[in-house]
Amino acid sequence: MSDSSRDTAEGAGWGAAEPGHYKQLMPDHVEKLSWLNPKTLWAARNGVVASWFGDPTGRTRSSWAAQRAAAGAPADKVIRRDDPDRFSFMVIGDTGEGDDSQYAVVPGFLKVSQDTDFAVIASDVIYPVGTADDYGTKFFRPYQDYRAPIYAIPGNHDWYEDLGGFMRVFCDDTPTPAPGPAPRPLGRAWWRTVLWHKPRATDEQRLAEARKLRSAPSQRAVQPGPYWAIDAGPVRIIGIDTGLLGTIDAEQGAWLREVSRGPRPKILVTGSPLYVDGEHHPCAIEGGGTVDDIVRDPAHHFVAAIGGDIHNYQRYPVDVGGRTIQYVVSGGGGAFMHATHTVPRVSVAGVTEDDFRCYPLRGDSLAFYSRLYGRRLRLRRFFTLTEAEATAVIAERLGIKPGRVPGPETRVTRRTRLVASLLGAGGRPDRTSRFRLPVRKIYTQLFSPGSATYSPPFFKCFLRLDVTPESVRLRCFAATGNRAQEIDPPVEDEVTIPLN
């Protein structure tokens, strides 16, 4: 097994590594997606509009579900597979930028997934707005050689064109629901309609050509809707749709409570993680209660909750009354990397820093961003930190043992500390100043989303879950864009989850 980032800097993808062969899989022309481009931000405005003038996704989702039911989809939205008691499946989140950061994941994903029974995409299948015309280069082409079905739950970006592209591809060409009555002029709904980004017409020939890339019978998967459950072997996998704002509507909430009943072990897949960046986000349900209330209920027997949306890997083993639920963030499947160095020392729900796992390691994240902003600001000599310097300053700030020892000759200097502060590095909860917390919040929310890069290491990841009647073995594999990690993807984290 190859070195991981916890073993060596080379295992993390640093150094004079041989570039991977992933570019051979890419189209001749790739449009680079920038989240600092005003045109992109304007097209992706519906989340902001919904937060200002009301979120219509619950009503739209209900219309989609009604059409799928009328077309013969199972009323309980359960996909019943005939997998044996021992089977394997993949989870990959936030995939669809269509550039180097997505295609760099593909060789390792195909290697690790060769004998798996199906895959699940956890959030944001297509960036920036989920249009059907983008599925060719951002879904069908990269995964054309994965021979098993792929199921998906939408993320907020898939909703920026009212989920039309997602429903066309994953839900058997469901037609767009008829629009409701026109809203009253100058009311909140009227302003929302005026400002709303409207779906573009689909190029039907282009979509039909794209479908041919995943047309084998073994690859076919038809979902009952944007949220669903899969009965596979001894477990039930439940996928929920958290829409534009990271919540679920009352109708979906009632369904979730119903399909969660019973002693069968369950794994939740959600577009919005319940624990992330050292914080608890239980996910509100319209009308009362939260998704995490349902997950924690011992009568429902959830053993894990895996969420996308945040573009890295994190794991929180939370004790809930004498049993442990693994709360996982897995959104590193193909978009820009969200920083982990901004995560403060972890102390949430009984989970300490010793229990917490993340990828990339915080030091690698800080080194990555120091190089990125050194280039952008043309201040490379000042901003750029070596991976050893970044690892050392993170260990000092958080008071933790580093995931990878930086070496005895590495010194933490004033410049190193200043760069770490300017880039929003986290700290200890008891030492977080009033100044440092806003800096970290601003950095995380404003600067990180524009941080697409086009050369290794990318610090991408995906999950493989191996199920037996007794347990689920969850492994997080790395994809750096370098050849060594393509040939033998390193395991960055592993946990065995008991089912009894």
Side-chain angles (χ1 to χ4, degrees):
M1 182 178 295
S2 63
D3 285 348
S4 74
S5 68
R6 296 179 178 273
D7 300 315
T8 63
E10 291 74 20
W14 299 115
E18 178 189 355
H21 294 177
Y22 67 89
K23 284 186 176 290
Q24 299 174 7
L25 307 173
M26 298 175 65
D28 293 334
H29 172 72
V30 175
E31 182 179 351
K32 293 185 177 182
L33 177 62
S34 172
W35 292 104
L36 300 178
N37 186 331
K39 183 178 178 181
T40 302
L41 293 174
W42 177 243
R45 65 188 178 271
N46 283 357
V48 175
V49 174
S51 67
W52 288 351
F53 300 107
D55 183 3
T57 55
R59 184 174 65 252
T60 305
R61 186 187 294 116
S62 181
S63 297
W64 284 121
Q67 289 195 182
R68 290 294 294 129
D76 60 4
K77 300 177 179 59
V78 177
I79 302 165
R80 293 173 173 86
R81 295 177 51 87
D82 59 357
D83 300 299
D85 284 348
R86 297 175 183 272
F87 74 98
S88 302
F89 69 102
M90 306 294 290
V91 176
I92 184 169
D94 298 84
T95 54
E97 280 200 356
D99 52 23
D100 294 60
S101 60
Q102 178 176 14
Y103 279 88
V105 182
V106 174
F109 174 84
L110 293 176
K111 186 175 182 66
V112 171
S113 67
Q114 285 180 5
D115 61 341
T116 57
D117 296 272
F118 59 90
V120 175
I121 296 179
S123 179
D124 290 339
V125 183
I126 301 294
Y127 293 99
V129 295
T131 180
D133 289 349
D134 284 343
Y135 269 85
T137 57
K138 300 179 181 182
F139 175 72
F140 289 107
R141 184 185 182 110
Y143 310 119
Q144 61 183 310
D145 292 326
Y146 181 65
R147 309 314 299 173
I150 299 177
Y151 304 97
I153 56 168
N156 56 315
H157 288 268
D158 299 303
W159 269 101
Y160 288 158
E161 287 202 350
D162 295 339
L163 209 62
F166 182 97
M167 296 298 292
R168 289 292 306 275
V169 171
F170 293 102
C171 300
D172 210 21
D173 274 330
T174 302
T176 304
R184 208 168 51 182
L186 300 181
R188 293 179 74 216
W190 183 85
W191 280 110
R192 184 179 66 221
T193 301
V194 169
L195 295 172
W196 202 252
H197 171 77
K198 308 300 191 298
R200 290 171 285 178
T202 299
D203 184 332
E204 297 296 341
Q205 183 177 353
R206 182 176 178 177
L207 182 58
E209 287 297 315
R211 287 184 191 274
K212 293 178 182 178
L213 297 173
R214 280 188 52 83
S215 59
S218 64
Q219 296 174 312
R220 184 166 172 76
V222 177
Q223 299 178 189
Y227 58 94
W228 41 258
I230 298 173
D231 282 348
V235 300
R236 170 170 283 185
I237 303 155
I238 299 175
I240 61 172
D241 169 17
T242 55
L244 282 170
L245 302 181
T247 61
I248 67 173
D249 60 277
E251 180 179 311
Q252 186 180 181
W255 169 86
L256 177 60
R257 291 185 177 96
E258 181 63 31
V259 297
S260 297
R261 290 183 179 140
R264 186 173 191 159
K266 299 173 186 73
I267 298 169
L268 181 74
V269 182
T270 169
S272 298
L274 304 181
Y275 282 89
V276 61
D277 294 345
E279 299 175 346
H280 184 209
H281 298 270
C283 187
I285 299 174
E286 181 187 18
T290 69
V291 169
D292 203 29
D293 292 337
I294 297 172
V295 170
R296 287 168 172 259
D297 189 330
H300 297 156
H301 201 180
F302 278 90
V303 298
I306 303 171
D309 189 51
I310 303 301
H311 306 165
N312 54 46
Y313 173 82
Q314 301 175 43
R315 180 169 64 83
Y316 302 81
V318 178
D319 182 278
V320 289
R323 61 193 182 92
T324 299
I325 298 176
Q326 299 290 341
Y327 290 88
V328 176
V329 179
S330 183
F336 65 87
M337 184 192 85
H338 275 129
T340 58
H341 68 264
T342 59
V343 180
R345 180 173 174 138
V346 171
S347 179
V348 60
V351 179
T352 68
E353 190 65 37
D354 290 338
D355 308 313
F356 171 70
R357 294 290 182 274
C358 69
Y359 177 77
L361 298 175
R362 290 183 179 97
D364 288 330
S365 172
L366 179 58
F368 176 97
Y369 276 97
S370 76
R371 297 178 187 211
L372 176 68
Y373 282 100
R375 290 194 303 270
R376 287 188 174 180
L377 300 175
R378 299 184 179 180
L379 294 170
R380 296 189 186 193
R381 292 187 64 184
F382 172 74
F383 256 99
T384 301
L385 303 179
T386 68
E387 62 273 13
E389 289 173 328
T391 297
V393 74
I394 286 292
E396 178 187 86
R397 288 175 71 102
L398 273 64
I400 62 174
K401 182 180 178 181
R404 187 177 67 245
V405 179
E409 72 285 354
T410 304
R411 295 188 308 112
V412 178
T413 64
R414 289 183 179 179
R415 180 187 71 89
T416 307
R417 294 187 181 102
L418 179 57
V419 170
S421 294
L422 291 172
L423 293 179
R428 308 185 207 184
D430 59 332
R431 295 188 182 180
T432 301
S433 69
R434 292 182 180 179
F435 171 74
R436 185 181 298 163
L437 184 60
V439 168
R440 183 169 65 83
K441 292 284 189 183
I442 291 170
Y443 177 84
T444 302
Q445 295 175 12
L446 181 60
F447 293 105
S448 184
S451 300
T453 53
Y454 299 97
S455 60
F458 293 109
F459 297 109
K460 302 287 92 187
C461 59
F462 54 89
L463 305 183
R464 174 175 170 136
L465 292 88
D466 300 300
V467 181
T468 73
E470 297 78 31
S471 65
V472 175
R473 181 191 187 196
L474 182 152
R475 285 176 289 171
C476 171
F477 290 86
T480 67
N482 289 324
R483 185 62 176 156
Q485 286 81 39
E486 282 185 353
I487 294 171
D488 189 8
V491 177
E492 290 291 338
D493 187 35
E494 178 175 349
V495 62
T496 297
I497 307 169
L499 294 184
N500 300 320

